[in-house]
Amino acid sequence: MGFQSDLVSFLTLTKMKKTIENIAYKWLTKPTGDPFVDVGGVVMDYFARLHPGKDVLGLIESMTDIYVNNWSGKLNAFFLNSTITQPAFKGQKKIDETLKYFKELIQDKRAFQEGYCRITGRKTKLFYAGRDNHILSGSGTFINFHSAFESGLTLSKEVLIRIFFVPFGLLQVSDKIALIQSNDLEVSKYFVLKNCQENIQGIATGASEGVLKSSLKNPASALFGFIDDCVSDLKTVVDDRSKLKDIAFNIYHFTNFGASPEVQLYHLHSTAFRFYLTCLNPRYRDDWQGFVSAHYHNSKFKNIKFNRTSAVWEDKTKVAKYGEYKNWSNSIYNKLLLNQPILAEILNWSKKYPFNFKIVEIYQTHIRNMDKHTLNKIKELADFVIRQKEEDKIKRTITRLRGCKSTHEVRQVLLKWVGQHYQNGEQTPLITLEEYTQYLFPEGINWREIRDLLLIGIYQKLHEHQMQIALESSEGDKEEETETINQ
């Protein structure tokens, strides 16, 4: 089953046998805004088209059979003491108790009250949802999570049915479960359908033994890995290519296991996604991948260093290739998710290696909202420094810039350049008053950002001209040894 036919819109279960009168069928798949419930709706829609002759109970029975007979009931990260994870139930008993529960739920034979569903907002019969039939709900010792110390959330039967299908559409990342959600419904649906199809293929070959596992062990890397793998498909998933620039992502990395339920939320803003998407362009990919690869880290390996030439991490006894270090934590990915600046990392990288300054421009304009005129002026100033030709002069300029610790000191450096430019007999000013006040030092500008961009620009010009200049470490540099700029 191809994605093209799947990625149209959320469908009502038109192919399902509608044999049960007291189910609101549209609410089995209709988007609600709740990430877990919406995953369940996509899985139900997928299963209904996979088994067009079955009704709701038939679909539940098919899913229960997979959970019990293929996955051995390993749903503990989702449900606590449910009919499937209850230790007292074995084999067929798990299936029988699950079907009994849902039959009673559908036939209104379980305790209910009239009211508005917490998820759908629809007035209907409501049933209690705890950690046994809902994900990350309060129940038992956590009843203080609910108003008036109720036994659980009050939800419609349609929502509870959808929740049962959630595990089939998600992914295990390390020791927890990952749900990737986007502000674009079709992108969210794509993630779930991709997992569903891999699960079905695994079941057909006997390879599926539990929740689908990601090859990546870090949630941040898993998100960017998902984007890497699916970027070409995403361009077909989104009906309007212009919408790509507005796509954002959330990762819910969670477990509902035992006495330690936990969830961590990671967010990739649309501006960061737009920047990352641009970095995957063939014009920038090699520079970007080399830079990112050098920012993995693993606390188990203290002295390991990145070899840019071979793209491996190594020390005297250890060599880690991409297949291994892709599972380590990556400071660049983490900072993009946390909306923290990465300019310092780009600066440190630029001291040693060529790095396409266009990536810096894209980053500054897309994420840091910097005016393009500022970046153009910084490139002009970097050209001015390199035109000095004399190694000692360039070295002194870089050393002085690196030693700046305030706005005043950065301004003093620039004013000195202006004077040198004038003394050289140039007809046009190096920096106009407008450029100085509006683009280099407007109100609210971060002087460190201007200083770091100037240094990055100068380093890249040195790389372009294949100029080697021995630089002494300045106070505050991490490395104490003499650095050399080279190709």
Side-chain angles (χ1 to χ4, degrees), residues 289-290 293-296 304-315 318-326 328 349 353:
Q289 290 296 346
S293 295
H295 287 86
Y296 285 96
I304 200 165
K305 294 184 177 181
F306 184 67
N307 185 320
R308 176 68 177 90
T309 303
S310 56
V312 300
W313 283 84
E314 60 188 9
D315 60 17
K318 172 75 175 177
V319 175
K321 296 181 179 180
Y322 177 73
E324 180 177 356
Y325 69 71
K326 69 178 182 179
W328 301 353
W349 182 251
Y353 304 107

Side-chain angles (χ1 to χ4, degrees), residues 195-460:
N195 295 335
C196 286
Q197 292 191 351
E198 289 191 31
N199 276 319
I200 289 297
Q201 292 169 4
I203 290 168
T205 60
S208 180
E209 298 178 349
V211 179
L212 191 65
K213 292 183 179 180
S214 171
S215 61
L216 298 168
K217 310 300 182 189
N218 180 279
S221 297
L223 173 58
F224 286 100
F226 167 71
I227 295 173
D228 289 345
D229 292 341
C230 306
V231 66
S232 59
D233 287 325
L234 293 180
K235 293 176 181 178
T236 62
V237 169
V238 180
D239 57 357
D240 182 352
R241 286 289 296 275
S242 65
K243 291 182 181 178
L244 272 174
K245 62 181 175 54
D246 297 321
I247 292 177
F249 292 88
N250 290 320
I251 285 190
Y252 296 83
H253 196 219
F254 72 91
T255 178
N256 198 35
F257 184 77
S260 305
E262 178 187 1
V263 61
Q264 290 181 301
L265 178 63
Y266 301 84
H267 176 68
L268 184 68
H269 195 274
S270 59
T271 54
F273 171 72
R274 193 184 320 155
F275 165 71
Y276 185 73
L277 204 61
T278 304
C279 290
L280 297 183
N281 186 296
R283 288 177 292 175
Y284 314 122
R285 183 187 289 270
D286 287 345
D287 277 351
W288 174 253
Q289 290 296 346
F291 168 67
V292 170
S293 295
H295 287 86
Y296 285 96
H297 56 88
N298 187 324
S299 59
K300 294 181 181 179
F301 307 111
K302 300 294 184 182
N303 300 315
I304 200 165
K305 294 184 177 181
F306 184 67
N307 185 320
R308 176 68 177 90
T309 303
S310 56
V312 300
W313 283 84
E314 60 188 9
D315 60 17
K316 293 180 180 179
T317 61
K318 172 75 175 177
V319 175
K321 296 181 179 180
Y322 177 73
E324 180 177 356
Y325 69 71
K326 69 178 182 179
N327 289 312
W328 301 353
S329 180
N330 188 288
S331 58
I332 301 302
Y333 289 158
N334 292 338
K335 286 193 169 188
L336 288 176
L337 288 176
L338 295 171
N339 197 28
Q340 294 177 349
I342 62 171
L343 201 60
E345 286 80 3
I346 294 176
L347 173 57
N348 287 330
W349 182 251
S350 294
K351 293 175 187 176
K352 298 179 180 180
Y353 304 107
F355 190 70
N356 194 327
F357 194 78
K358 186 65 177 177
I359 296 175
V360 181
E361 294 182 67
I362 294 167
Y363 174 76
Q364 289 298 125
T365 53
H366 284 189
I367 296 183
R368 306 297 294 172
N369 296 317
M370 180 169 278
D371 194 301
K372 290 183 179 180
H373 289 90
T374 302
L375 291 161
N376 289 334
K377 177 49 63 175
I378 284 171
K379 287 190 292 184
E380 289 179 21
L381 294 174
D383 279 329
F384 166 76
V385 172
I386 300 303
R387 283 201 305 270
Q388 296 178 86
K389 297 293 185 182
E390 297 179 26
E391 179 179 323
D392 286 344
K393 286 185 178 180
I394 297 175
K395 179 178 177 179
R396 285 197 300 270
T397 297
I398 294 175
T399 301
R400 186 173 181 187
L401 258 182
R402 291 165 68 187
C404 290
K405 293 180 174 57
S406 67
T407 305
H408 170 73
E409 291 182 2
V410 176
R411 286 174 172 170
Q412 287 296 106
V413 171
L414 297 186
L415 291 175
K416 183 177 180 179
W417 293 355
V418 170
Q420 291 174 346
H421 184 78
Y422 175 75
Q423 289 174 356
N424 290 339
E426 300 290 346
Q427 298 299 311
T428 57
L430 180 65
I431 303 173
T432 67
L433 182 61
E434 179 185 23
E435 289 169 340
Y436 185 85
T437 57
Q438 294 190 22
Y439 302 128
L440 292 175
F441 296 102
E443 185 177 354
I445 193 69
N446 186 323
W447 65 269
R448 289 185 178 86
E449 204 161 21
I450 295 297
R451 179 200 63 186
D452 290 353
L453 286 168
L454 284 168
L455 285 169
I456 292 170
I458 293 169
Y459 289 141
Q460 292 313 308

Side-chain angles (χ1 to χ4, degrees), residues 27 105 116-120 122 124-127 154-161:
W27 285 107
L105 181 71
Y116 291 92
C117 174
R118 294 281 191 96
I119 303 297
T120 66
R122 169 173 155 264
T124 183
K125 294 173 182 176
L126 305 177
F127 302 83
T154 47
L155 304 175
S156 66
K157 67 181 70 171
E158 291 82 8
V159 167
L160 291 175
I161 291 170

